């Protein structure tokens, strides 16, 4: 998922939906328009001194960029295991493999922490137009959706651009399949159709809901992702359709063709399954109980290979501590890498980490999540609640990454797996990357290794490793004032 965008833009939801139109979706400034224009508070001067870290940073960057280990590991994960939905044997095989390899790497305290996860299965599924033009349509069921009866649901489609149009139609959608053809504004805004579309249509008596994929571009690639039901509404099946199918149905609708569809889905929940968060550390030399936490989520959707989302983010965290160990760089504090389970359809891994480590939450100096793809790194996003002195110090440390243009400290960072820690006061950050093409492939069959550029992945490792090492090794602390 991409939590930072979601949080950043939730405040602009109503405004942006009002702006939604086909023209706007093609307009590259739409995303910029939707960004909140908060005036940043003036920062106090940094209290950290980075000159003593320049040599280590240069070594880390050099080693990361001349190693093919991260890419080789990601290739093994994606090609030998493939996608890793919670409850799948693929995910459990990947977890076993990671534990074995981490021990072979000689990392400290390698362990699995058990987590029970939801087990949703897709089963067979299809969508076809019955009349006026019989044809198969590209679709992908949304995660957590209920299935249809075995014979499917056959009904007339009615297409809306947004929730306002749905509300105007009201009871006219009763007995029909509501199709949301909402153009992509940005992930945080447009994902509301995926999350809430089914229940809001069910409120007016719709029998199923189809959602235009949450993406700016499409080559007939449907995008799945989690949806959730309003407990006060009937549960109706819901699936993603491609932009091409959404536009096709829109034209049919607008011409008065009354397209009739048949949706078949076998989707269902099985009993919760056992899974685990995978943890490995580089133990600190002086204050091992203090922790810099880095990580990504090891589960993925059940399509593609989960390469960018979020196999790459996991490999970045893992390779960060392996590389530091290889370089003999032992920081004062512990760097702990976590491969969280079940981010995509439950966040049980992030919650379980928080609950299992309640006693040491105050010892978490910084928590960084890498879950925006492993494209060219730009720096880090910090949560809005980050204390100004910490922000100033992280901005200073990020200067060590200026040589690879990864020194930007942005607003609105964080992540869904570290969310529970952040709510308890831990400073949260996200590894920020050039997200231009992330949502082209996000949650699709096309999130595969070939979309990962080995050099960009290595740059992500370098960026994470320089930041994690420096913060973990500071002689005073990240939050220290006026020294
Ligand atoms: Zn993700």
């Amino acid at each position: 998922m991409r939590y930072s965008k979601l949080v950043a833009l939730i405040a602009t939801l109503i405004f942006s939906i009002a702006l939604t139109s086909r023209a706007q979706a093609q307009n590259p400034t739409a995303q910029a328009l939707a960004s909140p224009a908060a005036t940043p508070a003036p920062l106090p001067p940094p209290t950290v001194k980075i000159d003593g870290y320049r040599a280590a940073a240069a070594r880390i960057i050099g080693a990361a960029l001349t190693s093919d280990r991260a890419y080789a590991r990601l290739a093994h994960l994606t090609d030998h295991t493939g996608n890793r939905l919670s409850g799948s044997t693929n995910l459990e095989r990947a977890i076993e493999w990671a534990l074995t390899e981490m021990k072979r790497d000689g990392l400290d305290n390698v362990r699995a922490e058990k987590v029970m996860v939801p087990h949703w299965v897709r089963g067979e599924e299809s969508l076809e137009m019955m009349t006026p033009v019989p044809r198969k349509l590209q679709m992908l069921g949304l995660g957590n959706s209920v299935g249809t009866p075995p014979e499917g649901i056959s009904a007339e489609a009615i297409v809306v651009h947004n929730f306002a149009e749905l509300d105007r139609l009201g009871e006219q959608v009763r007995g029909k399949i509501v199709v949301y053809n909402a153009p992509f504004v940005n992930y945080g805004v447009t994902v509301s159709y995926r999350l809430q579309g089914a229940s809001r249509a069910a409120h007016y008596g719709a029998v199923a809901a189809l959602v235009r994929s949450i993406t700016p571009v499409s080559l007939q690639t449907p995008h799945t992702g989690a949806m959730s039901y309003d407990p006060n509404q009937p549960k109706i099946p819901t699936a993603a359709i491609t932009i091409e199918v959404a536009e096709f149905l829109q034209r049919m609708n607008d011409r008065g063709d009354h397209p009739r569809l048949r949706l078949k889905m076998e989707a269902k929940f099985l009993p919760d399954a056992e899974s685990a968060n995978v943890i490995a550390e580089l133990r600190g030399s002086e204050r091992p109980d203090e922790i810099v936490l880095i990580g990504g989520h090891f589960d993925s959707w059940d399509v593609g290979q989960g390469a960018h989302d979020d196999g790459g983010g996991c490999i970045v965290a893992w390779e960060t501590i392996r590389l530091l160990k290889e370089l003999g760089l032992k920081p004062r504090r512990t760097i702990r890498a976590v491969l969280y389970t079940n981010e995509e359809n439950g966040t049980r891994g992030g919650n379980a980490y928080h609950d299992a480590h309640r006693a040491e939450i105050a010892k978490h100096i910084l928590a960084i999540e890498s879950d925006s793809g492993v494209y060219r790194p730009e720096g880090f996003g910090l949560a809005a609640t980050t204390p100004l002195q910490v922000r100033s110090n992280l901005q200073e440390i990020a200067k060590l990454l200026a040589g690879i243009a990864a020194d930007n400290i942005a607003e609105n960072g964080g992540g869904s797996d570290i969310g529970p820690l952040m709510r308890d006061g831990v400073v949260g950050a996200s590894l920020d990357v050039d997200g231009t093409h992330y949502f082209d492939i996000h949650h699709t069959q096309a999130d595969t290794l070939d979309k990962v550029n080995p050099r960009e992945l290595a740059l992500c490792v370098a960026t994470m490793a320089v930041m994690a090492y420096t913060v973990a090794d500071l002689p005073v602390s990240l939050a220290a004032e006026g020294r």
Side-chain angles (χ1 to χ4, degrees), residues 336-350:
R336 178 181 292 168
V338 185
L339 318 184
Y340 301 93
T341 192
N342 185 231
E343 189 270 350
E344 294 290 5
N345 62 337
T347 333
R348 298 257 188 104

Side-chain angles (χ1 to χ4, degrees), residues 1-2 297 308-310 343-344 371-372 438 442-443:
M1 198 140 77
R2 178 139 179 176
H297 65 87
H308 274 291
D309 189 14
D310 184 26
E343 189 270 350
E344 294 290 5
D371 185 18
S372 304
Y438 185 53
H442 179 251
H443 298 178

Side-chain angles (χ1 to χ4, degrees), residues 87-385:
S88 67
T89 51
N90 273 7
L91 176 58
E92 297 318 299
R93 276 177 50 216
I95 288 171
E96 286 304 319
W97 168 75
L99 290 165
T100 304
E101 291 293 307
M102 285 171 158
K103 285 173 189 159
R104 196 171 293 168
D105 287 345
L107 302 178
D108 302 321
N109 296 328
V110 175
R111 62 204 190 266
E113 292 185 350
K114 180 182 159 180
V115 183
M116 294 304 290
V117 296
H119 190 185
W120 180 82
V121 290
R122 173 180 307 283
E124 293 296 317
E125 55 183 20
S126 65
L127 176 67
E128 54 191 319
M129 180 177 282
M130 314 300 289
T131 58
V133 189
R135 68 174 58 162
K136 283 180 176 288
L137 302 174
Q138 292 291 333
M139 61 82 75
L140 194 53
L142 293 179
N144 305 336
S145 176
V146 297
T148 65
E151 69 278 14
I153 289 176
S154 300
E156 186 179 324
I158 188 160
V159 185
V160 299
H161 284 107
N162 51 48
F163 289 132
E165 282 186 27
L166 174 75
D167 291 339
R168 276 200 295 279
L169 287 169
E171 285 293 319
Q172 292 177 57
V173 310
R174 185 165 294 280
K176 295 181 179 165
I177 296 175
V178 166
V179 178
Y180 292 100
N181 183 24
F184 186 83
V185 176
N186 57 56
Y187 190 69
V189 166
T190 315
V191 77
S192 60
Y193 292 93
R194 191 187 82 204
L195 292 169
Q196 307 163 24
S199 289
R200 291 183 67 160
H203 172 69
Y204 294 116
V207 291
L210 299 173
V211 182
R212 171 175 164 146
S213 290
I214 314 306
T215 180
V217 299
S218 179
L219 292 171
Q220 282 284 28
T221 33
H223 297 234
T224 190
M227 59 80 56
S228 65
Y229 287 113
D230 176 344
N232 299 315
Q233 301 298 339
K235 291 183 177 180
I236 60 172
T238 183
I241 50 174
T242 63
I243 292 180
E244 292 88 340
V245 168
E247 290 290 316
F248 168 64
L249 293 174
Q250 181 81 58
R251 294 192 296 273
M252 287 275 179
N253 182 88
D254 293 353
R255 281 193 296 258
D257 289 337
H258 300 283
R260 258 189 99 72
L261 307 178
R262 179 159 65 203
L263 176 67
K264 284 188 184 179
M265 293 171 65
E266 291 181 347
K268 63 180 176 190
F269 276 102
L270 300 176
D272 282 3
E274 187 172 330
S275 186
N277 290 331
V278 173
I279 300 183
E281 297 174 350
L282 185 61
R283 288 294 279 177
S285 58
E286 289 180 18
R287 300 186 211 171
D289 57 322
E290 295 185 10
I291 298 155
V292 172
L293 192 73
I294 59 179
H297 65 87
F298 218 27
D299 66 308
S300 75
W301 283 104
D302 57 339
V303 291
Q305 294 183 320
H308 274 291
D309 189 14
D310 184 26
C314 290
I315 298 296
V316 166
W318 176 356
E319 181 62 8
T320 287
I321 54 174
R322 192 206 65 81
L323 191 73
L324 293 172
K325 181 181 169 63
E326 182 182 281
L327 292 172
L329 290 167
K330 201 169 171 61
R332 291 181 167 88
R333 298 171 190 78
T334 294
I335 302 176
R336 178 181 292 168
V338 185
L339 318 184
Y340 301 93
T341 192
N342 185 231
E343 189 270 350
E344 294 290 5
N345 62 337
T347 333
R348 298 257 188 104
N351 284 316
Y353 179 86
H354 168 272
D355 293 349
H357 296 270
R358 228 178 257 281
E360 58 176 3
I361 287 176
K363 298 282 191 183
H364 285 65
I365 307 303
L366 175 66
I368 310 177
E369 186 160 325
S370 172
D371 185 18
S372 304
V374 282
Y375 298 93
R376 188 182 60 74
E378 296 178 341
F380 296 88
L382 300 183
T385 51

